[in-house]
Amino acid sequence: MMSHLAKLTITQVKRQSALSPQEARRTKLIIKLEEQLKLAEAQAKGERYLVIKPSWSRDADGNRVRVQRERQVRPWWWQEGEGVAMLVRYGARSLELHKGKRAVSIPNAALLPGAIHTLIAAVRAGELDAAMDAAITETKRKSGKG
């Protein structure tokens, strides 16, 4: 008689317990960039992009109840002449993408989603790690925590 476990391939694998701080920062920025991508695509179609988030509120009897609220997503770009300029934000700070330069210039609004895809690829490749570290250091310095 054949055992059920004999049908499976058994290996010893160490499960990754948590993301490193660098990976967590990249993931956070990618999520925000993907949100900006969805906003840009919705605006290109003439639609409104909404994010629904769970929140707490009080009902008529004063009991705490879970409700769904809309969260406004503000664009990181603006019209500049014929084209579009875009910042990359990490928290409340815009990242310095190149020495002394923080904005990405895009020739026209139709190319905005492609530029955001490129930025996401750059974050995945670790190209913005130094800029994120600098923004975090600056925030800690200004708040007196670093």
Side-chain angles (χ1 to χ4, degrees):
M1 185 166 123
M2 189 171 179
S3 154
H4 292 287
L5 287 178
K7 297 176 188 174
L8 302 174
T9 305
I10 309 296
T11 62
Q12 183 172 354
V13 178
K14 184 179 181 208
R15 186 174 177 183
Q16 186 178 3
S17 59
L19 296 175
S20 71
Q22 204 71 30
E23 290 169 330
R25 284 193 279 266
R26 287 179 191 165
T27 302
K28 178 182 173 184
L29 184 54
I30 288 170
I31 288 169
K32 292 298 183 181
L33 281 167
E34 286 172 345
E35 200 171 71
Q36 290 295 311
L37 178 63
K38 290 175 187 170
L39 177 63
E41 289 170 345
Q43 283 186 354
K45 294 177 188 172
E47 298 172 358
R48 199 166 153 228
Y49 177 67
L50 291 175
V51 175
I52 305 295
K53 69 174 193 165
S55 182
W56 291 97
S57 184
R58 299 235 179 235
D59 63 7
D61 300 326
N63 301 318
R64 283 178 47 132
V65 291
R66 195 78 166 168
V67 294
Q68 301 293 326
R69 293 222 167 120
E70 292 179 6
R71 180 174 61 82
Q72 183 180 5
V73 179
R74 292 194 170 104
W76 291 354
W77 66 87
W78 62 94
Q79 204 69 35
E80 193 172 84
E82 295 291 314
V84 177
M86 178 181 177
L87 295 174
V88 178
R89 296 190 170 279
Y90 187 79
R93 302 217 173 264
S94 60
L95 297 180
E96 189 174 44
L97 303 173
H98 195 269
K99 188 73 173 164
K101 297 179 183 176
R102 296 182 179 275
V104 176
S105 180
I106 303 161
N108 64 42
L111 300 175
L112 185 60
I116 295 172
H117 280 295
T118 303
L119 286 167
I120 290 171
V123 172
R124 282 199 175 106
E127 295 176 29
L128 296 179
D129 289 351
M132 284 188 284
D133 291 342
I136 291 167
T137 303
E138 182 69 15
T139 301
K140 285 181 180 178
R141 187 183 67 74
K142 285 201 172 182
S143 69
K145 293 182 180 178

